[in-house]
Amino acid sequence: MPETRPDPDALLAQLRSDEARALRGKLRIYFGASAGVGKTWAMLSAARREREAGRDVLIGVVETHGRSETAALLTGLDTLPLRELPYRGRTLAEFDLDAALARKPAVLLVDELAHTNAPGSRHAKRWQDVQELLAAGIEVWSALNVQHLESLNGTVGAITGVRVHETVPDTVLDEADEVVLVDVTPDELTARLAAGKVYLPQQAERAAQNFFRKGNLIALREIALRRTAEHVEDDVRGWRVEQSGPGGNGQGGAALQAWNTSGAILACVGPHEGAAQTVRTAARLAGQLNVRWHAAYVETPRLQRLDAAQRDRILAVLKLAEELGAATAVLTGADVAEQLSEQARRLNCATLVIGRAEPVRGWRRWWGASAVPLARALAQRAPALDILEVGRADSARHLSQATLVATQADDDDERAQSRWPGYAWAAATSIALTLLCTPLTGVLELSNIVMLFLLGVVGVAMRFGRGPSALAAMLNVAAFDYFFVAPRLSFAVSDVQYLLTFAVMLGVGLLVGQLTAGLRFAAGVSTSRERRARSLFELTRELSAALESTQVVALGAAAVQAHFGGHARVLVTDAADQLVPPADPPPGFDAQVADWAFRHGQPAGLATATLAAQPWHYVPLRAPMRVRGVLALCPARPRWLLIPEQAQQLDTLARQIAIALERVHYVEVAQRAVVEMESERLRNALLGAISHDVRTPLTALIALAESLQTLPPEEHGEAARAIVTQAHALHALVSNLLDMARLESGVAGGAVNLRRDWQSVEEVVGAAIRAARPALRGMTVQTAWDPELPLVEFDAVLIERVLVNLLENAAKYGAAPIEVGARAEPAALVLTVRDHGPGLPAALHGREQTLFDKFTRGEAESATPGVGLGLAICRAVVSAHGGEISAANARDGGAEFTVTLPRREPPEPAEAQL
């Protein structure tokens, strides 16, 4: 027996997995059907035994619910103090995760795994605390009820009428190292409830009338038992995988046999007419035993040559198996027993149901007497497998004509057309070799001529398969005997030894043809699998870059159509969640059937049990959240939809399209949410500005106007000046709002009208200082620029407004003196406005550009009036000129704003006048 060496990569991965498992703590879950079965009591009892054995056991949190028996078990066990969290005027006691990590006991008890932590805790759920404890290497014991499992929450709620909101993902239970089932009978649990051992008397009375009814308890107990059995089955399967070496061999080198733990059944679908009876018997047996079952058909090179009617009968049986609840598969290989036994081991099926072989009659009884029956071959390859032979039945399963009428004739014609050219080429090859070797009779030995004939057989077998190669072998033997063996031109043989040559030549030719046909069959299977994998990969790659639903629709339809041929359409929903039919419906397309598939979430049309007469096949695009549309397909070969691999391929393609549509949908939702959030922020900022900075001067104006009636005449002048000041402030605010709206609309639409002209920078700066004098309130303004500063082309009115806003900003938030500078660079004009105040707030370090956003102020809460539009107007004006504006803290204190405008050399004086 050849030595089986382990895979180094697999060994390395196993070592890494073992190392990670050794560093991670173990999780033990005490699992029960409902509250009161004794999970906490069993956990504490086990903890006391561990403490007596010398282990460091710590109580993290335990809920006794007022049960004296449970509370008594806490005596003598170390308990971790709870952490107090204030919440809405109350103080909540929660599990202290940090203290547990610091203490790091050998065993930590954390009860109520589905508990929701109080706001302010590190994790929202207690099971997340447990995950962190496990990652720290702490062994954790916890308790869980079946109704708290996420996947069973709806089922339990429908049974009991009580929906719990605290749930735990199923993966937590699946990944637990140990699951201890704590179970009592419904009568015993009801008696405990009546005795007050579950809840307090008033609470127990309500529970007995609602949740703790006997029917509910029986159903919950069954669910808990089944869920625990599933976990144990996963443990068995995981152990078998760990024990299996390369190629599925165990530690001892022998293949692991299927274990009869779950009682799964595998039905073998054969090409004979009694295969439907085999499937029905397997389905009935699985229903009686209440176990899962599978159906498999093994396609060998011989079965690949079956005619259309026989292949249709096999597909019909597979479809029947799916309708009866089986998971179907089409296997490929030359040895049926090997494929079935391997499939049984892979699925851990303990029982194999096969059909009884047809009785052999006539001459075939002697010809096939040496063939090993399938049952005996299976018994040799899988001794531990239970094999059940099903009696024959006269009834047979056939496909509906609606599925086959479109392609059956085409398939027959294609198979006929593809068969006869091979035989013609075989005859032509034999004739060509005869003509080629005839002149070489005196040059080559007869043994070399035989090699040439064998080479021709190999070539025919590689290109055309088994049948043509067999014909070529027989024709070559006949040609070699007739034209090259003495006496020539006669089939008589002078030397009896040539009979052995003929036999070897014919046998080698047939053997080479058989082997080559098997290679062609395996290559065809590999090509089909590679084609399916490539189509999925290409679709996934293209969909990952799609940003719009229209792109997903186009890519999905193209991928499905490329794989299945025919026509394909991807239908999506509109804003009202209604399916949108295509604008140009193709022939045979029915929008009502597509809408039915969308609303019911089930396939319809061709090759289904719903409206099977339709020429189109409709598949709902089921995404993780909901159905996103319908994939409609009119395939070139309807029979493909009945092949399990092709049906799974179509479902996978549809799932990828649905996930892409859902991803694009949520991208659009996120974008709309961002826009709405920004709009809400701007609206709130505008309302805040109007409510404060507009209301303040209006209030002042009203108060001053009313005071004019009571003030003496000599004070009217001062009141009038105050009214003018407030009116100017209000006018400036309204002007900023209007200018911002005009500039923003102009920048967005590209229609800002700049009145560019060659201007003197000194004059514009001086005009800005004079215009900002009321806001400066006597503050000193210093200017510094090159006396030879050239003329620059810009809109003087808008640039003056920029400088006025910068000066007003410096006067509001800075300190004197204010410095205005200007310098000319080779391709730009640089203007600076600096104050000597406290500078920009520290919170804006690294994001100074946010100062130029609308309704943004350096300090959100400031007594200085303003709405945050001045700097936004500055950026809009500078951007319209093609320049940039920035803000930074000066080296020796204060804030400095820099405006950079593009410039070119000024024209000659005569040109400037023009």
Side-chain angles (χ1 to χ4, degrees), residues 249-263:
N249 292 336
Q251 295 178 347
L256 288 175
Q257 301 296 331
W259 288 1
N260 191 4
T261 56
S262 64

Side-chain angles (χ1 to χ4, degrees), residues 52 79 264 354 380 543 586 598 610 639-640 743 768 771 824 868:
E52 294 173 358
T79 303
I354 63 175
Q380 294 174 354
L543 290 179
F598 170 74
T610 304
R639 186 180 286 105
W640 274 26
L743 289 172

Side-chain angles (χ1 to χ4, degrees), residues 115-158:
H115 173 75
T116 301
N117 294 331
S121 302
R122 182 183 309 174
H123 301 127
K125 296 289 187 178
R126 186 168 290 172
W127 64 265
Q128 295 172 324
D129 295 339
V130 170
Q131 294 294 324
E132 186 170 349
L133 293 168
L134 295 175
I138 301 175
E139 181 176 346
V140 180
W141 295 0
S142 187
L144 181 67
N145 289 331
V146 69
Q147 66 263 30
H148 293 292
L149 280 178
E150 182 65 43
S151 64
L152 299 175
N153 183 258
T155 302
V156 174

Side-chain angles (χ1 to χ4, degrees), residues 251-537:
Q251 295 178 347
L256 288 175
Q257 301 296 331
W259 288 1
N260 191 4
T261 56
S262 64
I265 296 174
L266 176 63
C268 175
V269 176
H272 52 79
E273 293 189 358
Q277 181 65 18
T278 303
V279 167
R280 294 189 183 96
T281 301
R284 185 169 61 252
L285 182 61
Q288 293 172 352
L289 299 177
N290 197 17
V291 296
R292 56 185 175 87
W293 70 290
H294 307 264
Y297 164 69
V298 181
E299 187 175 71
T300 62
R302 181 180 63 84
L303 296 179
Q304 197 178 32
R305 300 192 305 272
L306 296 176
D307 56 26
Q310 290 176 302
R311 288 185 287 117
D312 293 342
R313 184 171 63 242
I314 295 170
L315 294 178
V317 174
L318 290 174
K319 181 175 176 58
L320 173 64
E322 289 183 352
E323 294 174 355
L324 295 177
T328 60
V330 175
L331 310 176
T332 54
D335 192 337
V336 176
E338 179 182 1
Q339 294 298 323
L340 288 177
S341 59
E342 178 63 27
Q343 183 76 349
R345 280 194 293 268
R346 183 164 51 248
L347 300 175
N348 197 25
C349 297
T351 304
L352 182 63
V353 181
I354 63 175
R356 184 169 297 164
E358 295 182 2
V360 181
R361 299 182 177 87
W363 62 270
R364 291 191 303 168
R365 178 174 53 188
W366 304 101
W367 179 264
S370 60
V372 179
L374 178 60
R376 186 183 303 173
L378 286 170
Q380 294 174 354
R381 293 187 174 273
L385 193 66
D386 296 335
I387 301 174
L388 175 63
E389 277 195 2
V390 178
R392 299 182 54 80
D394 296 334
S395 61
R397 185 80 173 183
H398 299 280
L399 293 176
S400 63
Q401 294 300 319
T403 306
L404 306 177
V405 67
T407 59
Q408 184 169 353
D410 295 338
D411 288 348
D412 292 341
D413 293 342
E414 182 178 352
R415 290 174 63 86
Q417 293 174 2
S418 63
R419 183 185 302 120
W420 295 114
Y423 292 102
W425 274 100
T429 301
S430 180
I431 295 173
L433 287 173
T434 302
L435 295 177
L436 176 65
C437 295
T438 299
L440 302 176
T441 304
V443 180
L444 297 177
E445 294 290 339
L446 291 182
S447 59
N448 294 326
I449 295 177
V450 170
M451 294 298 103
L452 291 177
F453 277 111
L454 289 178
L455 180 63
V457 174
V458 172
V460 173
M462 292 181 61
R463 180 63 180 85
F464 300 104
R466 180 185 296 102
S469 67
L471 177 63
M474 291 184 291
L475 291 178
N476 289 346
V477 170
F480 179 74
D481 180 19
Y482 190 80
F483 291 101
F484 299 98
V485 175
R488 301 179 63 184
L489 301 180
S490 171
F491 288 107
V493 179
S494 60
D495 191 347
V496 180
Q497 294 183 358
Y498 279 110
L499 296 178
L500 178 62
T501 303
F502 298 155
V504 172
M505 185 177 175
L506 180 60
V508 170
L510 294 177
L511 178 62
V512 168
Q514 178 74 13
L515 295 177
T516 307
L519 291 176
R520 292 180 71 248
F521 174 74
V525 172
S526 300
T527 302
S528 176
R529 292 174 179 173
E530 189 272 337
R531 178 172 176 266
R532 294 198 300 269
R534 185 177 67 251
S535 63
L536 284 176
F537 168 74

